Amino acid sequence: MRYRTLGRSGLRVSEIGFGAWAIAMDWWGKKVEEDEAIRMIRRAYDLGINFFETADMYGKGKSERLLGRALEGVRDEVVISTKYGYDFAGAEQVGHSELPQSFSGEFTRAALRASLDRLRTGRVDVYGMHNPKLRHIRDDSAFGTLSSLVGEGLVRACQVALGPAIGWTREGMEAMDRPEVSAVQTVYNILEQTPGNELAERAEQRNVGLLVRVPDASGILTGKVGADTKIDEKDHRSVRKGEWIRASLAKVEELRPIAESNGLRIDELAIKFLLSRGAVSSVLPTVVGVEEVESFAAMSDGRALGASDMAEIARLYSSWPGYELKASA
C-alpha cells in the first residue's frame, strides 16, 4: 500500500481508502451483516488501508459504530474521517431524498460529540461538511466553528464533501479557497471526468487533497453492471438509466486497448487513472465484501499510467457527449 499527504493537513493516508457507507445501508445491491462488516474493516487495516471515511447519517450512526468497534485497538494507527450536516435524528429517509441540513455552531458541536461517542475516540482526524450548498460554504461562522474544533484538539483537519450527485463545481472551487479546508471529496472516474479534472487542477494549486468516490462509475468499470443488469429502485445506482449504461459500456470498449497495452483490467485502469493525478490523495471504492477490499487494495502498487496513455484518455473523453452537472439551487 502506498500513502499520500492529505493536502495541507500533513496527514498521511492510504491511496485506497475504505468508504464505509455501504456497510450500514442496503443501497448497493447487498445488505452487509455486521460481522462481515467488521471483517471487511479489519482486513482493510491488515492490507495497509489506514484511511476510513464515513458520515454520521450512514445508517443513522451505524457505520460509525461499526468503525468504532473494529478499529478501537488500532485507533492511533488509522485516519478516521466522518461528515455531518444532516439532521436525521427524528427524520425518516424516504428513498434517496435529502434530509434537512444544518451547519450552525450548536448543531456542529452536538453532531461531533455524537460521532466521537459512536467512533469510541476522543478526536476525529478529518471532519467534513456533508453535501453543503454554496450558501453554507460562504458562511464564515460555520468555518469558524470548525476552526475552533481544530484548536480544541477535537478535529485535526477539515473537508468538504460535494454532492450528493455529480457536479457542484462552484461549491468545490470556493471550498478550496477556504484556509480551513484540507480536502474536498467528489464523484470522479475515468468515464465522468467533469468536474473532477477541473477540481483536481485547483486542488493542486491550493494544496488541497482530493478524495474520490464512485471511482467505478457505479459498477460499470468493475463489470458488476452490464447491459442486462436490473437495478432495484432502492439501490443507490437506480438513477443510472439504461441509456447511460449502454453508452458507458461503449466507452469502456474504447478504453480497453489502453488497459490491455498496460496489462491491466478495466477496473485497474480506472484506479490507475485516478492515482495518476497528483491532487488525488485517496480513492474510496464502494465495497460490500472482503474480496472487493482485497482487490482494490492490490491496485495501490506504485504503477502509474504514462503521459501518452493519459493523453489518449483525455482525447477519448473530449470526444464523448457532456452530461448534466448539479449545483446549489
Side-chain angles (χ1 to χ4, degrees):
M1 180 61 62
R2 267 57 176 185
Y3 301 86
R4 300 184 177 197
T5 301
L6 183 64
R8 58 176 70 108
S9 73
L11 295 170
R12 296 287 286 173
V13 297
S14 50
E15 288 185 337
I16 303 298
F18 188 100
W21 77 274
I23 62 173
M25 308 173 80
D26 59 350
W27 282 7
W28 207 253
K30 176 183 176 182
K31 176 178 173 58
V32 180
E33 300 299 332
E34 292 194 9
D35 288 348
E36 183 177 11
I38 296 296
R39 287 195 299 272
M40 290 167 59
I41 296 165
R42 290 177 176 165
R43 182 58 177 151
Y45 170 79
D46 289 342
L47 293 168
I49 291 175
N50 80 333
F51 185 60
F52 294 84
E53 217 283 328
T54 187
D56 57 5
M57 72 164 291
Y58 296 159
K60 292 190 174 182
K62 181 179 179 180
S63 177
E64 289 182 330
R65 285 191 292 271
L66 289 168
L67 283 177
R69 282 175 53 196
L71 298 174
E72 190 171 26
V74 294
R75 174 64 186 93
D76 291 336
E77 300 173 38
V78 297
V79 177
I80 295 178
S81 171
T82 193
K83 305 182 291 292
Y84 78 99
Y86 284 110
D87 189 0
F88 59 85
E92 179 183 358
Q93 191 163 17
V94 179
H96 306 299
S97 59
E98 282 199 87
L99 299 174
Q101 287 180 297
S102 176
F103 296 96
S104 71
E106 181 180 7
F107 184 88
T108 299
R109 286 183 174 276
L112 178 59
R113 286 193 299 269
S115 288
L116 292 173
D117 183 59
R118 289 188 290 261
L119 289 165
R120 305 185 186 187
T121 185
R123 72 177 189 283
V124 168
D125 299 301
V126 184
Y127 200 45
M129 301 176 77
H130 198 173
N131 301 343
K133 307 304 182 284
L134 197 56
R135 66 183 181 278
H136 301 133
I137 292 168
R138 291 175 173 174
D139 183 355
D140 290 340
S141 65
F143 286 92
T145 298
L146 289 172
S147 183
S148 295
L149 294 173
V150 172
E152 294 165 27
L154 297 174
V155 171
R156 296 179 68 186
C158 302
Q159 73 151 309
V160 167
L162 306 174
I166 191 170
W168 314 94
T169 313
R170 175 50 49 195
E171 291 79 356
M173 292 296 196
E174 292 200 18
M176 290 185 202
D177 289 337
R178 286 278 183 181
E180 301 89 349
V181 174
S182 294
V184 164
Q185 183 181 149
T186 188
V187 174
Y188 189 19
N189 58 69
I190 199 169
L191 300 183
E192 297 169 308
Q193 298 179 36
T194 305
N197 289 340
E198 188 176 357
L199 292 172
E201 184 177 344
R202 176 65 68 90
E204 286 202 74
Q205 295 169 353
R206 295 291 190 268
N207 191 22
V208 170
L210 207 61
L211 301 174
V212 175
R213 69 178 188 273
V214 201
D216 64 343
S218 299
I220 291 287
L221 297 167
T222 58
K224 295 181 77 173
V225 172
D228 299 323
T229 302
K230 304 299 182 184
I231 300 176
D232 189 274
E233 63 180 12
K234 293 193 302 181
D235 194 301
H236 201 55
R237 295 166 294 183
S238 61
V239 296
R240 306 292 206 177
K241 304 305 180 186
E243 182 180 350
W244 178 87
I245 292 173
R246 289 187 293 273
S248 296
L249 292 172
K251 294 172 185 176
V252 167
E253 292 311 308
E254 293 187 60
L255 292 165
R256 195 173 298 280
I258 303 173
E260 291 177 346
S261 69
N262 285 277
L264 299 171
R265 303 187 307 267
I266 287 294
D267 60 338
E268 292 173 320
L269 176 71
I271 298 300
K272 298 294 184 187
F273 164 75
L274 294 168
L275 293 178
S276 295
R277 299 302 305 258
V280 173
S281 295
S282 190
V283 178
L284 303 164
T286 299
V287 290
V288 291
V290 171
E291 289 185 0
E292 291 180 347
V293 174
E294 294 171 341
S295 177
F296 281 112
M299 296 179 196
S300 173
D301 59 8
R303 294 175 56 200
L305 295 178
S308 60
D309 289 324
M310 292 295 284
E312 177 61 9
I313 291 170
R315 185 193 69 79
L316 287 173
Y317 181 73
S318 67
S319 72
W320 297 336
Y323 47 86
E324 181 184 6
L325 298 176
K326 299 295 184 180
S328 300

